[in-house]
Amino acid sequence: MAITAIKGFNDILPSEIEKWQHIEKTARDVFGCYGFSEIRVPIMEKTELFCRSIGDATDIVEKEMYTFTDKGDNRVTLRPEGTAGVMRAFIEHKLYAADPVSKLFYMGPMFRYERPQKGRYRQFHQIGAEVTGVSDPKVDAQTLTMLSHFFSELGLDEPSLEINSLGCPECRPAYREILKDFLRQKLDTLCEDCQRRLDTNPLRALDCKVEKCKVATADAPAMLEHLCTACDTHFTETRSYLDLVSTGYRINSRMVRGLDYYTRTTFEMITGLLGSQSAVAAGGRYDGLISDLGGPSVPGIGFAMGVERIALLLDNAKFQTSPALFIVALGEEAQKRAFCLSTELQRAGVSVEFDYEGKSMKSQMRRADKLSCGYTLIIGESELASGVAPLKEMKTGNQFVIALDSKTIAQELKS
Ligand code: ATP
Ligand code: MG
């Protein structure tokens, strides 16, 4: 029996690749305008990097990591997200010494052991961006503006931006206690997970997807009402900068992120088009992460977008490219000529297809049609003799004769 791929691990087929490349190119172009450079870090890191950064009591570390012991008895993990590895590299290579403000982006596969469904896979792809070195709310507003800009550049009205503040080590501990007291009163009505993590990670109850937890926490106290003065000012200013440049957003005071390192501004790009996989992008500020990982005390903010989910929002039909020309050749000599002509045209930057096997005219035309070629050129014995052949524009059916000369043809197709 043929071997199949691992469950939750997908192939990205040629029929989808144009769309993926378009998403990636749009990210490179848009992020480039805001001064971001690409960084590529390993797909596998020491397990402790993720435990320390993402947090032991998070879903990712508790349940979702692909962790192995390698042949040298080292505990290693396939990266479940990008920020930890990028910050590890940032610290290891002292990137902060070269420039106090660093703007990095990355793209590539991530791995989480989750239940596969539409928009949720075990190997999936993220494009992410990180800014370190500045805690000014202008950076928060700019990061969010860039994220929104990216989606509008893709021509998408969805997803829309939701923001919140998760406070800082000054104000969150007190809020956690207030929330814990609230949750304790509702303990019986919470799901098992929320009951279990009441002490270790009570905030998760606020975005638990279980219906009875949603009901139980409907009027739970919100972090936004318990921010310290500095966090409150930071959030207000972030909003005012978003308003200044007309970046739309909605405040969602129940948003908590599934990673422990977030502080202050947190955000998600949400869509109603993908069922329960509603988050297309998510991120936040992480002012304590770099020092927690042994680096200098430098603030940071970033986000990651799920490429599969973005691809689901984009129309497939818009991303099919087809050859500019199909050369239909009849007879051995004509086939030779088709081979030479197509090579010359390809070398001149024109995409060309022809038949390799001496098929009938009908079957060659059928293939040209199937490939949605822009033009067909038909060469038989009489065309070889006269040096001109009919060139037909497939969309309009217009046809005229053209010299069997690659320069002339290339010029015609490019005009
Ligand atoms: P969710 O609530 O859907 O599980 P998350 O909070 O775990 O998302 P993040 O860790 O913030 O997601 O990752 C950022 C983005 O990466 C998500 O918004 C989503 O688009 C994408 N993503 C996360 N997990 C998966 C997955 N298993 N398959 C596909 N995309 C994913
Ligand atoms: Mg998740």
Side-chain angles (χ1 to χ4, degrees), residues 82-307:
T83 305
V86 171
M87 288 309 128
R88 194 254 327 123
F90 173 82
I91 296 164
E92 194 168 334
H93 302 286
K94 297 193 172 58
L95 298 186
Y96 49 86
D99 188 341
V101 185
S102 137
K103 297 181 192 174
L104 303 168
F105 77 89
Y106 60 86
M107 42 182 80
M110 306 293 158
F111 305 85
R112 295 184 195 177
Y113 195 83
E114 301 198 68
R115 197 168 65 77
Q117 53 200 288
K118 185 180 173 192
R120 189 176 298 283
Y121 311 101
R122 291 183 173 171
Q123 175 180 290
F124 61 100
H125 295 74
Q126 286 185 338
I127 301 179
E130 319 282 354
V131 187
T132 56
V134 206
S135 55
D136 191 279
K138 281 197 281 298
V139 167
D140 303 54
Q142 191 179 49
T143 305
L144 293 172
T145 298
M146 179 172 90
L147 185 59
S148 296
H149 177 177
F150 168 80
F151 284 101
S152 55
E153 197 67 28
L154 284 178
L156 292 171
D157 302 329
E158 295 248 12
S160 56
L161 178 61
E162 295 192 350
I163 65 170
N164 191 20
S165 175
L166 286 182
C168 70
E170 286 290 312
C171 50
R172 193 155 58 198
Y175 167 70
R176 266 173 68 117
E177 292 311 312
I178 293 169
L179 181 64
K180 265 196 227 168
D181 287 345
F182 173 89
L183 293 174
R184 244 181 239 119
Q185 290 164 20
K186 310 256 177 174
L187 201 60
D188 301 343
T189 56
L190 297 177
C191 75
E192 239 173 67
D193 266 350
C194 287
Q195 291 195 12
R196 183 177 48 80
R197 59 195 175 195
L198 180 94
D199 284 311
T200 52
N201 203 346
L203 271 70
R204 287 302 295 195
L206 295 179
D207 82 338
C208 182
K209 308 222 158 84
V210 176
E211 196 50 42
K212 61 178 179 178
C213 294
K214 284 188 192 164
V215 174
T217 60
D219 51 357
M223 182 72 239
L224 281 185
E225 288 148 20
H226 298 272
L227 294 176
C228 60
T229 313
C231 286
D232 193 43
T233 307
H234 193 274
F235 191 58
T236 308
E237 288 186 9
T238 298
R239 291 180 54 192
S240 73
Y241 285 117
L242 287 170
D243 294 338
L244 267 181
V245 292
S246 308
T247 298
Y249 63 88
R250 195 180 79 84
I251 294 175
N252 175 0
S253 61
R254 298 172 61 85
M255 183 204 306
V256 287
R257 304 287 309 121
L259 301 89
D260 276 357
Y261 52 61
Y262 287 121
T263 52
R264 293 190 167 172
T265 314
T266 44
F267 49 94
E268 289 184 346
M269 295 292 286
I270 298 292
T271 176
L273 304 174
L274 299 177
S276 56
Q277 276 55 257
S278 57
V280 181
R285 186 163 269 294
Y286 46 83
D287 290 345
L289 175 63
I290 298 168
S291 57
D292 284 353
L293 290 176
S297 182
V298 169
I301 180 169
F303 62 79
M305 316 188 279
V307 184

